[in-house]
């Protein structure tokens, strides 16, 4: 079942799907929807590709209309829109930088206007720059991690909150690196841990409104982020992705999507402030 991934690299972030070898799988052809999100409206940042696209396609198959936000990967966004529409649902794609609060405000407003409401948000857009030595991290690189991975989650959630109601769900994509750390990803791990604090505190704040706030903490997953972050440093590291997990492989985005369906739907109605670890079997605290 392990993916055969040849060494490879993409030269800038965000990476793109179409040059990945092999291409990633975002939803199992035999995944059957059962109306778990019928009529819901969802917004997913970084929804053009990778884990965000997987969440988008699973939501659509479960009956939701979906708005995807992305930075500038127009081809990936177009394909995700096509795939959402092929599920018979409404799709919207909005390009821009989640590090800008005004972009986030506008994108949420456009989503609400086009889809006719908002029930689910998935904070998922992220950057990851590899550095073996803390002293090599420039102010700009450190700040970019904070701006996208933390501020972006805050701006989108703040803009969306007045539209959410009893039964709504907020889901954040964190990472195993928030729990286990990663010696080559200090800035990134810092932001992923901050997202956990955000999730837990906001869950407490919103519990009595019936708005649930949870996180998914993926292990290594085959997405454009991998060749675009590890590739420029060491293309061989891309080929070895996931070999250190108990299952000895990385995951496909299709193996993440159902976790988002669970946290977005009434199936998890008694679950808030929690984290789902979808990581190939690594035992982590929390
Ligand atoms: P991906 O490249 O498919 O998705 C990241 C997305 O973030 C991109 O599609 C891009 O459009 C968006 N993005 C980046 N900067 C942005 C900006 N400034 N404004 C708006 N959008 C921006 O890769 P992915 O692996 O699916 O990443 C999704 C999330 O999963 C990230 O938060 C990442 O940290 C997390 N994650 C990934 C893995 C993994 O192994 N792939 C593991 C743990 C956590
Ligand atoms: Mg992308």
């Amino acid at each position: 079942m392990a993916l055969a991934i040849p060494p490879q690299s993409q030269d800038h972030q965000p990476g793109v799907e179409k040059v990945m070898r092999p291409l990633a799988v975002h939803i199992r052809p035999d995944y059957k929807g059962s109306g778990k999100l019928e009529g819901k409206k969802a917004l997913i940042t970084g929804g053009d590709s990778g884990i965000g696209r997987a969440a988008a396609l699973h939501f659509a198959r479960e009956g939701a209309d979906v708005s995807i936000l992305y930075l500038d990967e127009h081809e990936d966004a177009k394909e995700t829109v096509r795939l959402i529409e092929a599920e018979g649902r409404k799709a919207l794609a909005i390009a821009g930088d989640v590090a800008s609060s005004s972009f986030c405000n506008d994108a949420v407003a456009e989503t609400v206007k086009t889809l006719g409401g908002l029930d689910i948000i998935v904070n998922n857009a992220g950057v990851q720059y590899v550095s073996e030595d803390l002293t090599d991290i420039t102010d700009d690189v450190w700040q970019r991690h904070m701006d996208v991975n933390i501020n972006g989650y805050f701006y989108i959630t703040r803009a969306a909150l007045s539209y959410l109601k009893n039964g709504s769900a907020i889901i954040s994509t964190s990472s195993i690196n928030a729990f286990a750390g990663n010696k080559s990803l200090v800035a990134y791990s810092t932001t992923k841990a901050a997202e956990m604090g955000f999730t837990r505190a906001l869950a407490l704040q919103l519990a009595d409104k019936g708005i649930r706030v949870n996180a998914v903490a993926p292990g290594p997953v085959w997405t454009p982020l991998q060749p675009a972050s590890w590739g420029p440093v060491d293309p061989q590291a891309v080929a070895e992705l996931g070999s250190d997990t108990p299952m000895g492989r990385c995951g496909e985005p299709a193996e993440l999507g159902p976790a988002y369906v669970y946290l977005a739907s009434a199936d998890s109605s008694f679950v808030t402030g929690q984290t789902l670890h979808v990581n190939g079997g690594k035992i982590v605290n929390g």
Side-chain angles (χ1 to χ4, degrees):
M1 176 87 183
L3 273 178
I5 300 175
Q8 60 196 281
S9 178
Q10 294 192 31
D11 60 12
H12 71 282
Q13 287 188 47
V16 294
E17 293 279 355
K18 76 169 181 201
V19 298
M20 291 174 71
R21 289 165 294 139
L23 293 173
V25 179
H26 297 90
I27 189 166
R28 299 192 323 268
D30 67 351
Y31 180 93
K32 284 199 175 37
S34 56
K36 285 182 191 293
L37 302 175
E38 197 64 51
K40 301 284 189 192
K41 322 284 182 194
L43 180 155
I44 303 174
T45 69
D48 60 298
S49 59
I51 295 167
R53 179 189 282 181
L57 301 189
H58 285 77
F59 284 5
R61 195 163 292 181
E62 293 289 356
D65 296 329
V66 187
S67 169
I68 58 165
L69 275 51
Y70 66 102
L71 187 62
D72 59 6
E73 313 96 293
H74 304 299
E75 262 190 61
D76 281 348
K78 236 177 159 173
E79 174 64 1
T80 304
V81 164
R82 187 186 71 75
L83 292 166
I84 294 167
E85 289 175 347
E87 301 290 341
R89 306 310 312 183
K90 233 190 238 177
L92 172 69
I94 307 172
D97 189 343
V98 293
S100 153
S101 63
S102 61
F103 167 72
C104 292
N105 292 340
D106 292 349
V108 167
E110 191 181 341
T111 296
V112 170
K113 194 165 161 229
T114 307
L115 301 186
L118 191 55
D119 305 287
I120 301 157
I121 60 171
V122 178
N123 288 308
N124 171 79
V127 293
Q128 161 180 298
Y129 296 98
V130 177
S131 176
E132 297 307 329
D133 192 321
L134 189 76
T135 60
D136 291 338
I137 304 176
T138 63
D139 291 0
D140 286 350
V141 167
W142 179 267
Q143 195 56 49
R144 189 65 180 156
H145 282 93
M146 306 299 146
D147 289 346
V148 178
N149 300 8
I150 303 176
N151 296 0
Y153 282 35
F154 164 61
Y155 294 147
I156 286 290
T157 308
R158 185 179 60 181
L161 211 47
S162 64
Y163 302 103
L164 303 182
K165 51 201 164 297
N166 188 19
S168 290
I170 299 168
I171 305 167
S172 290
T173 305
S174 177
S175 168
I176 189 171
N177 294 318
F179 299 86
N182 186 311
K183 68 176 181 163
S184 311
L185 297 172
V186 174
Y188 175 81
S189 301
T190 301
T191 62
K192 293 287 140 182
E195 293 164 8
M196 294 309 310
F198 180 73
T199 297
R200 289 169 174 170
L202 192 61
L204 297 176
Q205 187 175 109
L206 299 178
D208 64 356
K209 294 194 167 72
I211 301 170
R212 298 176 302 98
V213 189
N214 291 290
V216 177
V221 184
W222 186 227
T223 72
L225 185 71
Q226 298 290 358
S229 60
W230 292 103
V233 180
D234 179 10
Q236 183 57 33
V238 180
E240 285 162 21
L241 186 70
S243 55
D244 61 340
T245 67
M247 290 188 184
R249 65 176 180 88
C250 67
E252 288 278 12
E255 295 177 290
L256 274 291
Y260 290 82
V261 170
Y262 173 68
L263 293 176
S265 73
D267 284 354
S268 60
S269 55
F270 198 45
V271 178
T272 197
Q274 307 301 315
T275 306
L276 271 182
H277 296 276
V278 186
N279 66 20
K282 277 203 179 175
I283 310 296
V284 289
N285 293 324

